Amino acid sequence: MAGTRTQADEAREAAVETALARLDLDAKTRLLAGQDMWTLPALPEIGLASLVMSDGPIGVRGVRWTADDPSVALPSPTALAATWDPQLAHRAGVLLAQEARRKGVHVLLAPTVNLHRSPLGGRHFEAYSEDPLLTGLIGAAYVEGVQSGGVGTTVKHFVANDAETDRFTVNNKVGERALRELYLAPFETIVAKARPWGVMTAYNAVNGTTMTEHHHLVNEVLRGEWGFDGVNVSDWMAARNTTGAIEGGLDIAMPGPGTVYGPALAAAVRSGEVEEARVDESVRRVLRLAARVGALKGAEPEVTEPPAEVDGEALAREIARRSFVLVRNEGALPLPPGGSVALIGAAARDARVLGGGSAIVFPARTVSPLDGLTVALPEGSLSYAVGADPSTELAVADKGFALRAVCRDADGQVIGTCSAPNGQIQWMGSDLPDGVTHDCLHTVELTGTFTPRERGPHTLGIKGRGHFVLTVAGTTYFDGVQGTDRSEPFAAFFGDPEPRAVVELTAGEPVEVSLTHTVSIPADAPIKGVGLTLVHQEPRRDPDELIAEAVAAARAADTAVVVVATTELVESEGFDRTDLTLPGRQDDLVRAVAAANPRTVVVVNSGSPVEMPWRDEVAAVLLTWFPGQEGGAALADVLTGAEEPGGRLPTTWGSLADAPVTRVAPTDGELPYTEGVFIGYRAWEREGRTPAHPFGHGLGYTTWAYDSLELDGTTAKVRVRNTGDRPGREVVQLYAAPIEPDAERPARELAGFATVSAAPGETVEAVIDIPLRTFEIWDEKTGSWSFVKGSYEIQAGRSITDRRLTGTINV
């Protein structure tokens, strides 16, 4: 086991061995297979409760995907990494453990510590950074926080799951050195620092072997070299071969009941293909997890007293404002007191607070920028204009819809209902409304009212596969079958919406809406899933007219604040991006407003980089990521100057044309990582290209002087002074640069960082330990870490390009 065993560990191990000895082969193999979408079977004969897992990087979904049981929604993982504050990540973990316990969840399927290899990665927002050290330290603190609350984590997706295109089948060809120095590094840091209770293996293959069967990376590296003693759970439906998976070190094949384990694994043991001792190793790890989370009788859980209660709304607001990155400010922020503000942009009213896919949760409330600024600014000082709508396609039916899901059997009898406030149903496995089973479920009807906020032709449509009937105001607009693509197992959830009705409606007048789906689950479906979404688009007004209205509002105000955003059709699990441009006419909108008002502030609401061709034409640019449920309140805090934006870029922002690594689509099933160790800032520097905003960059509302750098062995002490007129927080960054140039190594790498706070005029000291790994490379010839002796310049500063102090270490 990793780390030193305590007496409590020994007692838990003894309880695990006792339980294991009482199980027969069928019970053991059953325990390694999901019994449904989210749980493992209970084994009452040994006092084992059913282990419950849940999605949850930014909020705990629970086993039911429903707004009837809301979840706190924190800012996206890119935002958490932008705080550069492991303590804050730890507090986020503590809150998520609290939420998990409330929902009866033992294991959180998070954090995602894949790297931002390319800005086009569709799930970029759900990972932390392009840098393995920053990713590893934020991830380790998050894991420690969750597990301090007695809830397990599964660090994912092990490994090199850095894009979405053909993610189920792609073979990523990664050199051993890049694998060790970049992609495995965050996992290694987290295993060493946080002792996670689980990992999740990815869909993809690495160098020809699918990750759920990767004996070398799982058994030899993760378990052997690093001493990982937790469970290895498959990504959902990733396990393909019984013998390959068990020999490759996979403990749990999810979801169930149709998996490669269970009866198939028992048969493989009986036929002599698999040794029972292999099964025992996996069962031992599952029982150890159960013991740790308190699901095994006779074993004391790791945590007997959970941490003090955390205020979820307050923490969500704090993380958001600490994550916002002010990349440009020509004196426009904070807003001058008493001035008038024109707030512009569809996303200012309908905020995008989280990314698409398995990260989605339902918060009890969402504060939009319009909500936040309405509360924070004096009455009469705020105006609002749509300006340009980024939703160029149909989106989830949300604002103005009041919907319920009604389930009926084949005789038309109602067998269950639940709320569906945004017209979206994702029931997977046993996640069904009370009283409903797949055997009796015949139709699901989304039914209720829609009260439009705009007059004119509204478009309604359907996302999903199968037979649908769509009725609006008593008229049936569609009665037929749509969607036949079976290549993507989650097509019903991530597929494209189809427009099916255009209806002339009056603002403020409710109409009845009904979407009925006949449930037909193929006999060979690996998961019994019911997925459908009612989608909607407001009347399309002339874009030039909307921009003209915004320009008029901007001209009449002291400051214009334009909120631009991506949409779920741009950034989501399930597909990669094809460009980094903002959807719709948003770039035109910003340029027009900036031309009308020199004090134009642009707020960028995206989970990952977008191009900002107008960035030099505006007075300020604030990046807010997907800011979570309190995003609008945090935005008001920062714009008014009640708080300063605390974030620094965890990833380089630049144009796609200049980005050094952009290939995310495989050819003939293979995606070669030809760039080796040069991704992110390493690659930008090597190519000699200048990004829009460099790694580590971010401005606050005060100024800092870097007074001294003192090096004692591998410990750096950096003294910084707040030279401004208000309190502030600074992220002190250290970079290590080999003095002897080496084309095979990056010019410099992040070697450590620390966050410090100081009052005006105050001097504070950041103490940063530089890890020994900074001075090592992976030697592919010897298959081991190699210490590179010589001189290194240690550079302290505010970003990778804003380096203020230097010192030398000889190693």
Side-chain angles (χ1 to χ4, degrees), residues 582-634:
L582 287 165
R585 293 279 303 278
Q586 294 182 99
D587 286 335
D588 294 341
L589 170 68
V590 172
R591 286 199 160 111
V593 170
N597 189 330
R599 292 182 61 87
T600 293
V601 176
V602 183
V603 174
V604 182
N605 177 194
S606 73
S608 44
V610 293
E611 290 180 1
M612 302 179 288
W614 33 257
R615 66 184 181 277
D616 296 331
E617 301 165 36
V618 300
V621 180
L622 182 70
L623 313 180
T624 61
W625 316 106
F626 295 144
Q629 67 176 61
E630 303 298 315

CSV table of all heavy atoms in Angstrom, one decimal, residues 582-634:
chain,number,residue,atom,x,y,z
A,582,LEU,N,-16.1,32.6,-31.5
A,582,LEU,CA,-17.4,32.8,-30.8
A,582,LEU,C,-18.5,32.6,-31.8
A,582,LEU,O,-18.5,33.1,-32.9
A,582,LEU,CB,-17.5,34.2,-30.2
A,582,LEU,CG,-16.6,34.4,-28.9
A,582,LEU,CD1,-16.5,35.9,-28.6
A,582,LEU,CD2,-17.1,33.6,-27.7
A,583,PRO,N,-19.6,31.8,-31.4
A,583,PRO,CA,-20.7,31.6,-32.3
A,583,PRO,C,-21.5,32.8,-32.5
A,583,PRO,O,-21.6,33.7,-31.7
A,583,PRO,CB,-21.5,30.5,-31.6
A,583,PRO,CG,-21.1,30.6,-30.1
A,583,PRO,CD,-19.7,31.1,-30.1
A,584,GLY,N,-22.2,32.8,-33.7
A,584,GLY,CA,-23.1,33.9,-34.0
A,584,GLY,C,-22.4,35.2,-34.4
A,584,GLY,O,-21.2,35.1,-34.8
A,585,ARG,N,-23.0,36.3,-34.1
A,585,ARG,CA,-22.4,37.6,-34.5
A,585,ARG,C,-21.8,38.3,-33.3
A,585,ARG,O,-21.7,39.6,-33.3
A,585,ARG,CB,-23.6,38.5,-35.1
A,585,ARG,CG,-24.2,38.0,-36.4
A,585,ARG,CD,-23.4,38.4,-37.6
A,585,ARG,NE,-23.1,39.8,-37.7
A,585,ARG,CZ,-24.0,40.7,-38.2
A,585,ARG,NH1,-25.2,40.3,-38.7
A,585,ARG,NH2,-23.7,42.0,-38.3
A,586,GLN,N,-21.3,37.6,-32.4
A,586,GLN,CA,-20.8,38.2,-31.1
A,586,GLN,C,-19.5,39.0,-31.4
A,586,GLN,O,-19.4,40.1,-30.7
A,586,GLN,CB,-20.5,37.1,-30.1
A,586,GLN,CG,-21.7,36.4,-29.6
A,586,GLN,CD,-21.5,35.4,-28.5
A,586,GLN,OE1,-21.6,35.7,-27.4
A,586,GLN,NE2,-21.0,34.2,-28.9
A,587,ASP,N,-18.6,38.6,-32.3
A,587,ASP,CA,-17.4,39.4,-32.6
A,587,ASP,C,-17.9,40.8,-33.2
A,587,ASP,O,-17.3,41.8,-32.8
A,587,ASP,CB,-16.5,38.7,-33.5
A,587,ASP,CG,-15.7,37.6,-32.8
A,587,ASP,OD1,-15.6,37.6,-31.6
A,587,ASP,OD2,-15.3,36.6,-33.5
A,588,ASP,N,-18.8,40.8,-34.1
A,588,ASP,CA,-19.3,42.0,-34.7
A,588,ASP,C,-19.9,42.9,-33.6
A,588,ASP,O,-19.8,44.1,-33.6
A,588,ASP,CB,-20.4,41.7,-35.7
A,588,ASP,CG,-19.9,40.9,-36.9
A,588,ASP,OD1,-18.7,41.0,-37.1
A,588,ASP,OD2,-20.7,40.3,-37.7
A,589,LEU,N,-20.7,42.3,-32.7
A,589,LEU,CA,-21.3,43.0,-31.6
A,589,LEU,C,-20.2,43.8,-30.8
A,589,LEU,O,-20.4,45.0,-30.5
A,589,LEU,CB,-22.1,42.1,-30.7
A,589,LEU,CG,-22.6,42.7,-29.4
A,589,LEU,CD1,-23.7,43.7,-29.7
A,589,LEU,CD2,-23.2,41.6,-28.5
A,590,VAL,N,-19.2,43.1,-30.4
A,590,VAL,CA,-18.2,43.7,-29.5
A,590,VAL,C,-17.5,44.9,-30.3
A,590,VAL,O,-17.3,45.9,-29.7
A,590,VAL,CB,-17.1,42.6,-29.1
A,590,VAL,CG1,-15.9,43.4,-28.4
A,590,VAL,CG2,-17.6,41.6,-28.2
A,591,ARG,N,-17.2,44.7,-31.5
A,591,ARG,CA,-16.5,45.7,-32.3
A,591,ARG,C,-17.4,47.0,-32.4
A,591,ARG,O,-17.0,48.1,-32.2
A,591,ARG,CB,-16.2,45.2,-33.7
A,591,ARG,CG,-15.0,44.3,-33.7
A,591,ARG,CD,-14.4,44.2,-35.1
A,591,ARG,NE,-13.0,43.7,-35.0
A,591,ARG,CZ,-12.7,42.5,-35.4
A,591,ARG,NH1,-13.6,41.6,-36.0
A,591,ARG,NH2,-11.4,42.1,-35.3
A,592,ALA,N,-18.7,46.7,-32.6
A,592,ALA,CA,-19.7,47.8,-32.8
A,592,ALA,C,-19.8,48.6,-31.5
A,592,ALA,O,-19.9,49.8,-31.5
A,592,ALA,CB,-21.0,47.3,-33.3
A,593,VAL,N,-19.9,47.9,-30.4
A,593,VAL,CA,-20.1,48.5,-29.1
A,593,VAL,C,-18.8,49.3,-28.7
A,593,VAL,O,-18.9,50.4,-28.2
A,593,VAL,CB,-20.5,47.5,-28.0
A,593,VAL,CG1,-20.4,48.1,-26.6
A,593,VAL,CG2,-21.8,46.9,-28.2
A,594,ALA,N,-17.7,48.7,-28.9
A,594,ALA,CA,-16.4,49.3,-28.6
A,594,ALA,C,-16.2,50.6,-29.4
A,594,ALA,O,-15.7,51.6,-28.9
A,594,ALA,CB,-15.2,48.4,-28.9
A,595,ALA,N,-16.7,50.6,-30.6
A,595,ALA,CA,-16.6,51.8,-31.5
A,595,ALA,C,-17.5,52.9,-30.9
A,595,ALA,O,-17.2,54.1,-31.0
A,595,ALA,CB,-17.0,51.5,-32.9
A,596,ALA,N,-18.6,52.5,-30.2
A,596,ALA,CA,-19.6,53.5,-29.7
A,596,ALA,C,-19.2,54.0,-28.3
A,596,ALA,O,-19.6,55.1,-27.9
A,596,ALA,CB,-21.0,52.9,-29.7
A,597,ASN,N,-18.5,53.1,-27.5
A,597,ASN,CA,-18.1,53.5,-26.1
A,597,ASN,C,-16.7,53.1,-25.8
A,597,ASN,O,-16.4,51.9,-25.8
A,597,ASN,CB,-19.1,52.8,-25.2
A,597,ASN,CG,-19.0,53.4,-23.8
A,597,ASN,OD1,-17.9,53.7,-23.3
A,597,ASN,ND2,-20.1,53.4,-23.0
A,598,PRO,N,-15.8,54.0,-25.6
A,598,PRO,CA,-14.4,53.6,-25.3
A,598,PRO,C,-14.3,52.9,-24.0
A,598,PRO,O,-13.2,52.2,-23.8
A,598,PRO,CB,-13.7,55.0,-25.3
A,598,PRO,CG,-14.8,56.0,-25.0
A,598,PRO,CD,-16.0,55.5,-25.6
A,599,ARG,N,-15.2,53.0,-23.1
A,599,ARG,CA,-15.2,52.2,-21.9
A,599,ARG,C,-16.0,50.9,-22.0
A,599,ARG,O,-17.0,50.7,-21.4
A,599,ARG,CB,-15.7,53.0,-20.7
A,599,ARG,CG,-14.8,54.2,-20.3
A,599,ARG,CD,-15.4,54.9,-19.1
A,599,ARG,NE,-15.4,54.0,-17.9
A,599,ARG,CZ,-14.4,53.9,-17.1
A,599,ARG,NH1,-13.3,54.5,-17.3
A,599,ARG,NH2,-14.6,53.0,-16.1
A,600,THR,N,-15.5,50.0,-22.9
A,600,THR,CA,-16.2,48.8,-23.1
A,600,THR,C,-15.5,47.6,-22.4
A,600,THR,O,-14.3,47.5,-22.7
A,600,THR,CB,-16.3,48.5,-24.7
A,600,THR,OG1,-17.2,49.4,-25.2
A,600,THR,CG2,-16.9,47.1,-24.9
A,601,VAL,N,-16.2,46.9,-21.6
A,601,VAL,CA,-15.6,45.8,-20.9
A,601,VAL,C,-16.2,44.5,-21.5
A,601,VAL,O,-17.5,44.4,-21.6
A,601,VAL,CB,-16.0,45.9,-19.4
A,601,VAL,CG1,-15.5,44.6,-18.6
A,601,VAL,CG2,-15.4,47.1,-18.7
A,602,VAL,N,-15.4,43.6,-21.9
A,602,VAL,CA,-15.9,42.3,-22.4
A,602,VAL,C,-15.7,41.2,-21.4
A,602,VAL,O,-14.6,41.0,-20.9
A,602,VAL,CB,-15.3,41.9,-23.7
A,602,VAL,CG1,-15.9,40.7,-24.3
A,602,VAL,CG2,-15.4,43.1,-24.7
A,603,VAL,N,-16.8,40.5,-21.1
A,603,VAL,CA,-16.8,39.4,-20.2
A,603,VAL,C,-17.0,38.1,-21.0
A,603,VAL,O,-17.9,38.0,-21.8
A,603,VAL,CB,-18.0,39.4,-19.1
A,603,VAL,CG1,-18.0,38.2,-18.3
A,603,VAL,CG2,-17.8,40.7,-18.3
A,604,VAL,N,-16.0,37.2,-21.0
A,604,VAL,CA,-16.0,36.0,-21.8
A,604,VAL,C,-16.4,34.8,-21.0
A,604,VAL,O,-15.7,34.4,-20.1
A,604,VAL,CB,-14.6,35.8,-22.4
A,604,VAL,CG1,-14.6,34.6,-23.3
A,604,VAL,CG2,-14.1,37.0,-23.2
A,605,ASN,N,-17.6,34.3,-21.3
A,605,ASN,CA,-18.2,33.2,-20.6
A,605,ASN,C,-18.0,31.9,-21.4
A,605,ASN,O,-18.8,31.4,-22.2
A,605,ASN,CB,-19.7,33.5,-20.5
A,605,ASN,CG,-20.6,32.4,-19.8
A,605,ASN,OD1,-21.8,32.5,-19.9
A,605,ASN,ND2,-20.0,31.5,-19.1
A,606,SER,N,-16.8,31.3,-21.3
A,606,SER,CA,-16.5,30.1,-22.0
A,606,SER,C,-15.6,29.2,-21.1
A,606,SER,O,-14.8,29.7,-20.3
A,606,SER,CB,-15.7,30.3,-23.3
A,606,SER,OG,-14.4,30.8,-23.1
A,607,GLY,N,-15.7,27.9,-21.3
A,607,GLY,CA,-14.9,27.0,-20.4
A,607,GLY,C,-13.4,26.8,-20.9
A,607,GLY,O,-12.6,26.4,-20.1
A,608,SER,N,-13.2,27.2,-22.1
A,608,SER,CA,-11.8,27.0,-22.7
A,608,SER,C,-11.6,28.2,-23.7
A,608,SER,O,-12.4,29.0,-23.9
A,608,SER,CB,-11.7,25.6,-23.3
A,608,SER,OG,-12.9,25.3,-24.1
A,609,PRO,N,-10.4,28.2,-24.2
A,609,PRO,CA,-10.0,29.4,-25.0
A,609,PRO,C,-10.9,29.7,-26.2
A,609,PRO,O,-11.4,28.7,-26.9
A,609,PRO,CB,-8.6,29.0,-25.5
A,609,PRO,CG,-8.0,28.1,-24.5
A,609,PRO,CD,-9.2,27.3,-24.0
A,610,VAL,N,-11.1,31.0,-26.5
A,610,VAL,CA,-11.8,31.4,-27.7
A,610,VAL,C,-10.9,32.5,-28.3
A,610,VAL,O,-10.2,33.2,-27.5
A,610,VAL,CB,-13.2,31.9,-27.4
A,610,VAL,CG1,-14.1,30.8,-27.0
A,610,VAL,CG2,-13.2,33.1,-26.4
A,611,GLU,N,-11.1,32.7,-29.6
A,611,GLU,CA,-10.4,33.8,-30.2
A,611,GLU,C,-11.1,35.2,-29.9
A,611,GLU,O,-12.3,35.2,-29.9
A,611,GLU,CB,-10.3,33.6,-31.7
A,611,GLU,CG,-9.3,32.4,-32.0
A,611,GLU,CD,-9.2,32.2,-33.5
A,611,GLU,OE1,-9.8,32.9,-34.3
A,611,GLU,OE2,-8.4,31.2,-33.8
A,612,MET,N,-10.3,36.2,-29.6
A,612,MET,CA,-10.8,37.5,-29.3
A,612,MET,C,-10.2,38.5,-30.2
A,612,MET,O,-9.3,39.3,-29.8
A,612,MET,CB,-10.5,37.8,-27.8
A,612,MET,CG,-11.1,36.8,-26.9
A,612,MET,SD,-10.8,37.1,-25.1
A,612,MET,CE,-9.0,36.8,-25.1
A,613,PRO,N,-10.6,38.6,-31.5
A,613,PRO,CA,-9.9,39.4,-32.5
A,613,PRO,C,-10.0,40.9,-32.2
A,613,PRO,O,-9.3,41.7,-32.7
A,613,PRO,CB,-10.7,39.1,-33.8
A,613,PRO,CG,-12.0,38.5,-33.4
A,613,PRO,CD,-11.7,37.8,-32.1
A,614,TRP,N,-10.9,41.3,-31.3
A,614,TRP,CA,-11.2,42.7,-30.9
A,614,TRP,C,-10.5,43.1,-29.6
A,614,TRP,O,-10.7,44.1,-29.0
A,614,TRP,CB,-12.7,42.9,-30.7
A,614,TRP,CG,-13.4,41.6,-30.2
A,614,TRP,CD1,-14.1,40.7,-30.9
A,614,TRP,CD2,-13.3,41.1,-28.8
A,614,TRP,NE1,-14.5,39.7,-30.1
A,614,TRP,CE2,-14.0,39.9,-28.8
A,614,TRP,CE3,-12.7,41.5,-27.6
A,614,TRP,CZ2,-14.1,39.1,-27.7
A,614,TRP,CZ3,-12.8,40.7,-26.5
A,614,TRP,CH2,-13.5,39.5,-26.5
A,615,ARG,N,-9.6,42.2,-29.1
A,615,ARG,CA,-9.1,42.4,-27.7
A,615,ARG,C,-8.4,43.7,-27.5
A,615,ARG,O,-8.4,44.3,-26.4
A,615,ARG,CB,-8.3,41.2,-27.2
A,615,ARG,CG,-7.0,41.0,-28.0
A,615,ARG,CD,-6.3,39.7,-27.5
A,615,ARG,NE,-5.0,39.6,-28.3
A,615,ARG,CZ,-4.9,39.1,-29.5
A,615,ARG,NH1,-6.0,38.6,-30.1
A,615,ARG,NH2,-3.7,39.0,-30.1
A,616,ASP,N,-7.7,44.2,-28.6
A,616,ASP,CA,-7.0,45.5,-28.4
A,616,ASP,C,-7.9,46.7,-28.6
A,616,ASP,O,-7.5,47.8,-28.5
A,616,ASP,CB,-5.8,45.5,-29.4
A,616,ASP,CG,-4.8,44.5,-29.1
A,616,ASP,OD1,-4.7,44.1,-27.9
A,616,ASP,OD2,-4.1,44.0,-30.1
A,617,GLU,N,-9.2,46.5,-29.0
A,617,GLU,CA,-10.1,47.6,-29.3
A,617,GLU,C,-11.0,47.9,-28.1
A,617,GLU,O,-11.7,48.9,-28.1
A,617,GLU,CB,-11.0,47.2,-30.5
A,617,GLU,CG,-10.2,46.9,-31.8
A,617,GLU,CD,-11.1,46.2,-32.8
A,617,GLU,OE1,-12.3,46.6,-32.9
A,617,GLU,OE2,-10.6,45.4,-33.5
A,618,VAL,N,-10.9,47.1,-27.0
A,618,VAL,CA,-11.8,47.3,-25.9
A,618,VAL,C,-10.9,47.7,-24.6
A,618,VAL,O,-9.7,47.5,-24.6
A,618,VAL,CB,-12.6,46.0,-25.6
A,618,VAL,CG1,-13.5,45.6,-26.8
A,618,VAL,CG2,-11.7,44.8,-25.2
A,619,ALA,N,-11.7,48.2,-23.6
A,619,ALA,CA,-10.9,48.8,-22.5
A,619,ALA,C,-10.6,47.7,-21.5
A,619,ALA,O,-9.6,47.8,-20.8
A,619,ALA,CB,-11.8,49.8,-21.8
A,620,ALA,N,-11.3,46.6,-21.4
A,620,ALA,CA,-11.0,45.5,-20.5
A,620,ALA,C,-11.6,44.2,-21.0
A,620,ALA,O,-12.6,44.2,-21.6
A,620,ALA,CB,-11.6,45.8,-19.1
A,621,VAL,N,-10.9,43.1,-20.6
A,621,VAL,CA,-11.4,41.8,-21.0
A,621,VAL,C,-11.3,40.9,-19.7
A,621,VAL,O,-10.2,40.8,-19.1
A,621,VAL,CB,-10.6,41.1,-22.1
A,621,VAL,CG1,-11.1,39.7,-22.4
A,621,VAL,CG2,-10.6,42.0,-23.4
A,622,LEU,N,-12.4,40.3,-19.3
A,622,LEU,CA,-12.4,39.5,-18.1
A,622,LEU,C,-12.9,38.1,-18.5
A,622,LEU,O,-14.0,38.0,-19.1
A,622,LEU,CB,-13.4,40.1,-17.1
A,622,LEU,CG,-13.5,39.4,-15.7
A,622,LEU,CD1,-12.3,39.5,-14.9
A,622,LEU,CD2,-14.7,39.9,-14.9
A,623,LEU,N,-12.1,37.1,-18.2
A,623,LEU,CA,-12.5,35.7,-18.5
A,623,LEU,C,-13.2,35.1,-17.3
A,623,LEU,O,-12.6,35.1,-16.2
A,623,LEU,CB,-11.3,34.9,-18.9
A,623,LEU,CG,-10.3,35.5,-19.9
A,623,LEU,CD1,-9.1,34.6,-20.2
A,623,LEU,CD2,-11.0,35.9,-21.2
A,624,THR,N,-14.4,34.6,-17.5
A,624,THR,CA,-15.1,34.0,-16.3
A,624,THR,C,-15.4,32.5,-16.4
A,624,THR,O,-16.1,32.0,-15.6
A,624,THR,CB,-16.5,34.8,-16.1
A,624,THR,OG1,-17.3,34.6,-17.3
A,624,THR,CG2,-16.2,36.3,-15.9
A,625,TRP,N,-14.9,31.8,-17.4
A,625,TRP,CA,-15.1,30.4,-17.5
A,625,TRP,C,-16.5,30.0,-17.5
A,625,TRP,O,-17.4,30.8,-17.9
A,625,TRP,CB,-14.3,29.7,-16.4
A,625,TRP,CG,-12.9,30.2,-16.2
A,625,TRP,CD1,-12.4,31.0,-15.2
A,625,TRP,CD2,-11.8,30.0,-17.1
A,625,TRP,NE1,-11.1,31.3,-15.4
A,625,TRP,CE2,-10.7,30.8,-16.6
A,625,TRP,CE3,-11.6,29.4,-18.4
A,625,TRP,CZ2,-9.4,30.8,-17.2
A,625,TRP,CZ3,-10.3,29.4,-18.9
A,625,TRP,CH2,-9.3,30.2,-18.4
A,626,PHE,N,-16.9,28.8,-17.1
A,626,PHE,CA,-18.2,28.5,-16.7
A,626,PHE,C,-18.3,28.7,-15.2
A,626,PHE,O,-17.7,27.9,-14.5
A,626,PHE,CB,-18.6,27.0,-17.1
A,626,PHE,CG,-18.6,26.8,-18.6
A,626,PHE,CD1,-18.2,25.5,-19.1
A,626,PHE,CD2,-19.0,27.7,-19.5
A,626,PHE,CE1,-18.1,25.3,-20.4
A,626,PHE,CE2,-19.0,27.5,-20.9
A,626,PHE,CZ,-18.6,26.2,-21.3
A,627,PRO,N,-18.9,29.7,-14.7
A,627,PRO,CA,-18.6,30.2,-13.4
A,627,PRO,C,-19.5,29.6,-12.3
A,627,PRO,O,-19.4,30.0,-11.1
A,627,PRO,CB,-18.9,31.7,-13.5
A,627,PRO,CG,-19.9,31.8,-14.5
A,627,PRO,CD,-19.7,30.7,-15.5
A,628,GLY,N,-20.3,28.6,-12.6
A,628,GLY,CA,-21.1,28.0,-11.5
A,628,GLY,C,-22.3,28.8,-11.2
A,628,GLY,O,-22.6,29.8,-11.8
A,629,GLN,N,-23.1,28.3,-10.3
A,629,GLN,CA,-24.4,28.8,-10.0
A,629,GLN,C,-24.4,30.3,-9.5
A,629,GLN,O,-25.4,31.0,-9.7
A,629,GLN,CB,-25.2,28.0,-9.0
A,629,GLN,CG,-24.6,27.9,-7.6
A,629,GLN,CD,-25.5,27.1,-6.7
A,629,GLN,OE1,-25.7,25.9,-6.9
A,629,GLN,NE2,-26.0,27.8,-5.6
A,630,GLU,N,-23.3,30.7,-8.8
A,630,GLU,CA,-23.2,32.0,-8.3
A,630,GLU,C,-22.4,33.0,-9.2
A,630,GLU,O,-22.0,34.0,-8.7
A,630,GLU,CB,-22.6,32.0,-6.9
A,630,GLU,CG,-23.3,31.1,-5.9
A,630,GLU,CD,-24.8,31.5,-5.6
A,630,GLU,OE1,-25.0,32.8,-5.4
A,630,GLU,OE2,-25.7,30.7,-5.6
A,631,GLY,N,-22.2,32.6,-10.4
A,631,GLY,CA,-21.4,33.3,-11.3
A,631,GLY,C,-21.8,34.8,-11.4
A,631,GLY,O,-20.9,35.7,-11.4
A,632,GLY,N,-23.0,35.1,-11.6
A,632,GLY,CA,-23.5,36.5,-11.7
A,632,GLY,C,-23.2,37.3,-10.5
A,632,GLY,O,-22.9,38.5,-10.6
A,633,ALA,N,-23.4,36.7,-9.3
A,633,ALA,CA,-23.1,37.5,-8.1
A,633,ALA,C,-21.6,37.7,-8.0
A,633,ALA,O,-21.1,38.8,-7.6
A,633,ALA,CB,-23.5,36.6,-6.9
A,634,ALA,N,-20.8,36.7,-8.3
A,634,ALA,CA,-19.3,36.9,-8.3
A,634,ALA,C,-18.9,38.0,-9.3
A,634,ALA,O,-18.0,38.8,-9.0
A,634,ALA,CB,-18.6,35.6,-8.6
